[in-house]
Amino acid sequence: MAQLKLYEYPHPILKKKAEKVDKVDDALRKLLDDMLETMYADNGCGLAAPQVGVSKRLVVIDIAGEGEEPRPMYLVNPEIVWASEEKEISEEGCLSVPGQRAEVERPASVRIKYLDYNGEAQEILAEDFLAVAAQHEIDHLDGVLYIDRISRLKRQMLLKKLEKARKESGSKI
Ligand code: NI
């Protein structure tokens, strides 16, 4: 496995709609493995392929808590086929918007169809934190970041903080 370069806001690949995958083969599994390693290395709980510069509909998620056994999930061509009317607000962060967090409102639960690591069709009901993580990552495949889902004022404040943090750390992004 290899760690991949993370693409951060405002890289244009993060705004692009990602392409569907034709088949799940070894090359694709290698990419999924590398995405998972990259996510773990940065203590993330979800990562979408555009965040590593690949415009394909691929997501990895692991919502296991600290000290728990890892529970990696691989979602190929994930699609939300149902969303609850009930909404929930939770705090989100993103490896592509490092160090920042904001409250986002989303449907509390969603039903998702996808292909798994072996290319088999799956359907799950995602609730609680998994619902948040899955919707956040699937948004990435449509070029949407969580900061697009907060008020303009909050977004401006968050982006200012991001800029300041980058200046302080000497990052050139
Ligand atoms: Ni993200």
Side-chain angles (χ1 to χ4, degrees):
M1 293 210 278
Q3 238 173 281
L4 306 170
K5 175 180 146 63
L6 267 172
Y7 286 65
E8 295 185 359
Y9 175 89
H11 195 284
I13 196 157
L14 298 170
K15 295 300 283 174
K16 223 174 127 186
K17 194 172 162 77
E19 299 280 330
K20 267 199 165 184
V21 167
D22 293 333
K23 64 173 192 300
V24 182
D25 56 14
D26 285 344
L28 196 86
R29 276 187 279 271
K30 161 99 171 61
L31 176 58
L32 288 166
D33 291 340
D34 289 347
M35 283 171 60
L36 196 72
E37 187 182 337
T38 306
M39 181 188 87
Y40 285 148
D42 276 284
N43 291 318
C45 54
L47 189 74
Q51 294 182 273
V52 292
V54 179
S55 201
K56 287 184 183 169
R57 302 190 79 80
L58 301 173
V59 162
V60 292
I61 291 175
D62 191 333
I63 56 160
E66 227 174 284
E68 285 180 346
E69 279 290 300
R71 289 198 303 272
M73 288 180 69
Y74 308 88
L75 279 58
V76 177
N77 298 337
E79 204 183 320
I80 294 172
V81 292
W82 173 84
S84 67
E85 270 174 41
E86 191 199 338
K87 302 272 205 302
E88 213 149 278
I89 295 173
S90 32
E91 208 182 51
E92 297 185 22
C94 180
L95 295 178
S96 294
V97 191
Q100 310 303 318
R101 302 188 72 78
E103 287 191 328
V104 183
E105 187 183 62
R106 300 182 184 274
S109 40
V110 286
R111 195 166 273 286
I112 304 166
K113 277 188 176 171
Y114 63 96
L115 302 177
D116 66 14
Y117 195 78
N118 299 310
E120 313 252 352
Q122 304 286 349
E123 190 173 325
I124 53 159
L125 178 67
E127 297 174 291
D128 304 315
F129 188 51
L130 180 57
V132 177
Q135 290 177 86
H136 175 118
E137 299 312 330
I138 293 171
D139 263 356
H140 272 298
L141 307 181
D142 294 320
V144 176
L145 299 177
Y146 80 93
I147 56 172
D148 298 321
R149 295 194 178 276
I150 61 179
S151 73
R152 198 200 318 184
L153 185 66
K154 282 188 182 157
R155 182 165 56 248
Q156 282 170 346
M157 281 165 47
L158 187 150
L159 292 175
K160 244 182 223 159
K161 280 199 284 172
L162 177 66
E163 203 183 322
K164 190 163 171 258
R166 278 173 174 164
K167 266 191 197 141
E168 281 168 6
S169 70
S171 162
K172 283 194 212 86
I173 298 165

